[in-house]
Amino acid sequence: MNTRRQFIQKSVLGISVATLPGLSSGWTEPVDMHPEARASESFNLGIAGYSFLHFDLDASLAMMKRMDVHYLSIKDFHLPLDSTPEAITAFHQKLKAFDVTGYAVGPIYMTKSRTEIDAGFEYARRVGVKLIIGVPNKEDLEYISEKTKAYDIRYAIHNHGPEDKLYPNAKSVYDLIRNLDNRMGLCFDMGHDTRDGQDPVADLERYHSRIFDIHFKNVTAATRDGKTCELGRGVIDIPAFVAMLRKIKYTGQCSLEFEKDMKDPLPGLAESVGFYHGVVAALPRS
Amino acid sequence: MNTRRQFIQKSVLGISVATLPGLSSGWTEPVDMHPEARASESFNLGIAGYSFLHFDLDASLAMMKRMDVHYLSIKDFHLPLDSTPEAITAFHQKLKAFDVTGYAVGPIYMTKSRTEIDAGFEYARRVGVKLIIGVPNKEDLEYISEKTKAYDIRYAIHNHGPEDKLYPNAKSVYDLIRNLDNRMGLCFDMGHDTRDGQDPVADLERYHSRIFDIHFKNVTAATRDGKTCELGRGVIDIPAFVAMLRKIKYTGQCSLEFEKDMKDPLPGLAESVGFYHGVVAALPRS
């Protein structure tokens, strides 16, 4: 079993427990009664904070507990960039009470000035995570690459579909960062990649060396008009995607970003969580 | 694709459309945008009405629509046994508006007197379904067998676990009805069968010729103390169960009976619906 304790011990993200404020004491086992029913994978299911746009942290964590999901990508509406050290400690303590790890911050938009880049790295350092999901200007990529070295924090650029002039798909990001520091990579939004007419399974394989995080979702159409839907109801072949996650030995999170029914997301999120676990449970190991 | 239209045309349950009040006109295709994302099976997912114990019919159907589930096993708290023909017609019309088929009635307890048996068959005839889920006395089984012939309505006995002196498991039912009319069978509660220490996958194979309906669920333990839980979180190997459903070419419903969080069942039901579809999507065809 890939228990969370083992995950932490493996330190997949390079985070040692002691570096996370409020997370320095012992870990408790998962709260679900039957962790053995969950298949062992090198990756984990998470939730992208944006799914909880209309909910405060307590309500969001209550939903995660209900769904038995333990990884959260932190959005600034749950933990503002100017949070005090005390607020950050309290944030992590609250997450710990729900057996949730905040493993990344973002997406953070950094297109107005380099001040935003500097502030983003300082924020990540203070929060204690080793991964920033960001949207920068292309002109700043080398500057950011130097930052990733200086902070030893990875930076994952988020692709946002055909409307996104900067980063419509995975390839557009990869081509820009492939020769930069290897802490420069992608938060692969498989839904927006698909909406841009790309093959998300093929792109996962092609660019996996730089895929640090995944916005895990499905969409109703492989076109600009495609909308996020429940994980099992869209055009992306999720079993094929999960098979590829295994093939490439992905060790990050698959964080559900559910942009449907955002004022009442729990049923659709829960269906998606169930679908993921059903695929993992039934997909044969090659 | 096994569309619902095809399902009706196949008349798996022996129900012709014209015999269902309020269902005599044309059928519309499923409302979900991407039915092609759902794998084709000879069986369908449904909901056992008991899951909606605390909800009226409108609220129950709204939840089914949200989850994109189209088969309902009808409980008497949604359609009382003494319903007038007009109430039955209105009931079916309401289900039709939600693209839901009420395919069976029950469980109905019939242990007090044969009057209950007679009333149950009359109710099923008036409702227009060809399947009763019932709990009868053993002494009445031959009487019921004659009823199934007279009405051409199948009768599925519900097994209820170790506390059930009459029908703790599938075998206890099968041994009693195997020599009766072949319209006598089981509503196989795989959770209670497991709680009784039985192997639900093996029992599905052994008794499938008489399994007319399934209360589809998982449980936290294979003992008396086991409780219903979300489909992917329990001790029953659901992929193995679904593989067996395919092997035996099951043509009935798998109706989720979710006895957890009954005053707020939607998240757990939705997770279970997702898990089922994930298993169906990822399980290889042998």
Side-chain angles (χ1 to χ4, degrees):
Chain A
M1 275 306 299
N2 176 29
T3 65
R4 296 188 62 239
R5 184 186 299 272
Q6 288 168 330
F7 174 81
I8 295 299
Q9 287 172 343
K10 283 193 302 185
S11 192
V12 170
L13 291 172
I15 307 170
S16 79
V17 170
T19 64
L20 289 178
L23 294 179
S24 55
S25 60
W27 284 82
T28 55
E29 292 300 317
V31 292
D32 56 332
M33 295 182 65
H34 295 279
E36 70 274 17
R38 296 284 161 85
S40 169
E41 303 293 344
S42 58
F43 44 89
N44 289 285
L45 192 67
I47 308 278
Y50 186 69
S51 300
F52 298 130
L53 176 63
H54 298 291
F55 298 88
D56 66 18
L57 184 62
D58 289 88
S60 304
L61 291 170
M63 285 189 256
M64 292 184 70
K65 182 173 183 176
R66 192 86 188 262
M67 296 185 285
D68 195 27
V69 176
H70 300 277
Y71 294 90
L72 176 67
S73 176
I74 302 164
K75 270 298 281 183
D76 54 2
F77 51 73
H78 284 155
L79 186 67
L81 269 76
D82 60 358
S83 295
T84 63
E86 293 74 22
I88 290 171
T89 299
F91 176 87
H92 284 302
Q93 285 174 338
K94 186 169 280 185
L95 262 60
K96 188 185 176 192
F98 284 86
D99 201 18
V100 167
T101 299
Y103 72 92
V105 292
I108 302 173
Y109 285 81
M110 304 180 177
T111 50
K112 288 182 187 158
S113 76
R114 288 195 173 176
T115 308
E116 291 179 318
I117 298 168
D118 298 344
F121 275 87
E122 274 300 301
Y123 172 64
R125 183 189 63 74
R126 289 186 292 112
V127 174
V129 296
K130 288 292 190 183
L131 180 62
I132 297 169
I133 302 157
V135 181
N137 288 317
K138 293 178 184 179
E139 297 73 27
D140 291 327
L141 292 178
E142 293 204 20
Y143 180 76
I144 293 169
S145 185
E146 293 304 313
K147 286 272 181 186
T148 65
K149 289 179 206 170
Y151 281 79
D152 191 22
I153 289 178
R154 296 197 294 177
Y155 191 95
I157 298 173
H158 180 262
N159 62 292
H160 217 156
E163 306 85 353
D164 184 350
K165 302 295 183 219
L166 292 171
Y167 314 106
N169 53 45
K171 182 177 190 301
S172 66
V173 178
Y174 183 80
D175 288 346
L176 289 164
I177 55 89
R178 61 189 301 175
N179 293 322
L180 298 175
D181 184 71
N182 64 11
R183 280 158 286 213
M184 296 289 287
L186 292 85
C187 170
F188 180 43
D189 190 311
M190 59 196 282
H192 287 306
D193 197 62
T194 301
R195 289 181 58 251
D196 194 55
Q198 311 303 317
D199 178 338
V201 179
D203 281 357
L204 176 63
E205 183 168 33
R206 282 187 197 114
Y207 309 120
H208 76 269
S209 65
R210 295 293 183 109
I211 291 178
F212 302 155
D213 195 22
I214 295 174
H215 280 179
F216 201 57
K217 62 177 71 167
N218 213 326
V219 288
T220 57
T223 64
R224 176 187 291 259
D225 295 334
K227 306 287 184 203
T228 303
C229 61
E230 293 80 1
L231 199 60
R233 301 197 206 182
V235 297
I236 301 175
D237 183 342
I238 302 297
F241 193 90
V242 172
M244 185 58 71
L245 289 171
R246 287 181 180 168
K247 182 179 175 187
I248 64 169
K249 298 180 169 54
Y250 179 65
T251 55
Q253 268 59 253
C254 298
S255 278
L256 290 165
E257 193 180 47
F258 191 63
E259 295 151 310
K260 177 183 176 184
D261 304 328
M262 292 197 78
K263 293 197 171 174
D264 182 21
L266 182 55
L269 274 171
E271 183 182 317
S272 300
V273 167
F275 192 86
Y276 166 83
H277 286 300
V279 168
V280 163
L283 194 67
R285 289 172 191 278
S286 53
Chain B
M1 276 305 298
N2 176 30
T3 65
R4 297 189 60 238
R5 185 186 299 273
Q6 289 169 329
F7 175 80
I8 295 298
Q9 286 172 345
K10 283 193 300 183
S11 193
V12 169
L13 291 172
I15 307 171
S16 79
V17 171
T19 63
L20 289 179
L23 294 179
S24 55
S25 60
W27 286 81
T28 56
E29 293 299 318
V31 292
D32 57 333
M33 295 182 64
H34 295 278
E36 70 273 17
R38 296 284 161 86
S40 170
E41 301 294 341
S42 59
F43 45 89
N44 289 284
L45 192 67
I47 307 277
Y50 185 70
S51 299
F52 298 131
L53 176 63
H54 298 290
F55 298 88
D56 66 18
L57 185 61
D58 289 86
S60 303
L61 291 170
M63 285 190 256
M64 291 184 70
K65 182 173 184 176
R66 192 86 188 262
M67 296 184 286
D68 194 28
V69 177
H70 300 276
Y71 294 89
L72 176 67
S73 177
I74 303 164
K75 268 298 281 184
D76 53 3
F77 52 71
H78 284 155
L79 187 65
L81 269 77
D82 61 358
S83 295
T84 63
E86 293 74 23
I88 291 171
T89 298
F91 176 88
H92 284 302
Q93 285 174 339
K94 185 169 282 185
L95 262 61
K96 187 184 176 191
F98 283 86
D99 201 18
V100 167
T101 300
Y103 72 92
V105 291
I108 302 173
Y109 286 80
M110 304 179 176
T111 50
K112 288 183 187 157
S113 76
R114 288 196 171 175
T115 308
E116 291 179 317
I117 297 168
D118 298 345
F121 275 87
E122 273 301 299
Y123 172 64
R125 183 189 64 72
R126 288 186 293 112
V127 174
V129 295
K130 287 294 191 183
L131 179 63
I132 298 169
I133 302 156
V135 181
N137 288 316
K138 294 179 182 178
E139 298 73 29
D140 291 328
L141 292 178
E142 293 205 17
Y143 179 77
I144 292 168
S145 184
E146 293 304 312
K147 286 272 182 185
T148 65
K149 291 180 205 169
Y151 281 79
D152 190 23
I153 288 177
R154 296 198 292 177
Y155 190 95
I157 297 173
H158 180 262
N159 61 292
H160 217 154
E163 305 85 353
D164 184 351
K165 302 294 182 221
L166 291 171
Y167 314 108
N169 53 45
K171 183 177 191 300
S172 68
V173 177
Y174 184 80
D175 287 346
L176 288 163
I177 55 87
R178 61 190 300 175
N179 293 320
L180 298 175
D181 184 70
N182 63 13
R183 280 159 287 212
M184 295 291 287
L186 292 86
C187 170
F188 180 43
D189 191 309
M190 60 198 280
H192 287 305
D193 198 60
T194 301
R195 289 182 57 253
D196 194 55
Q198 311 302 318
D199 178 339
V201 179
D203 280 358
L204 176 63
E205 182 168 34
R206 284 187 195 112
Y207 310 120
H208 76 269
S209 65
R210 294 293 183 106
I211 291 178
F212 302 156
D213 195 21
I214 295 174
H215 279 180
F216 201 58
K217 63 178 69 165
N218 214 327
V219 287
T220 56
T223 62
R224 176 188 291 258
D225 294 334
K227 306 287 183 204
T228 303
C229 61
E230 293 79 1
L231 200 59
R233 301 197 208 181
V235 297
I236 302 175
D237 183 343
I238 301 297
F241 194 89
V242 172
M244 185 58 71
L245 289 171
R246 287 180 180 167
K247 181 179 176 189
I248 65 169
K249 298 180 168 56
Y250 179 64
T251 56
Q253 268 59 255
C254 298
S255 278
L256 290 165
E257 193 181 45
F258 191 64
E259 294 150 310
K260 177 184 176 185
D261 303 327
M262 291 196 79
K263 293 197 171 174
D264 181 21
L266 182 56
L269 274 170
E271 182 182 318
S272 300
V273 166
F275 191 86
Y276 166 83
H277 286 300
V279 168
V280 163
L283 194 68
R285 291 173 189 279
S286 54

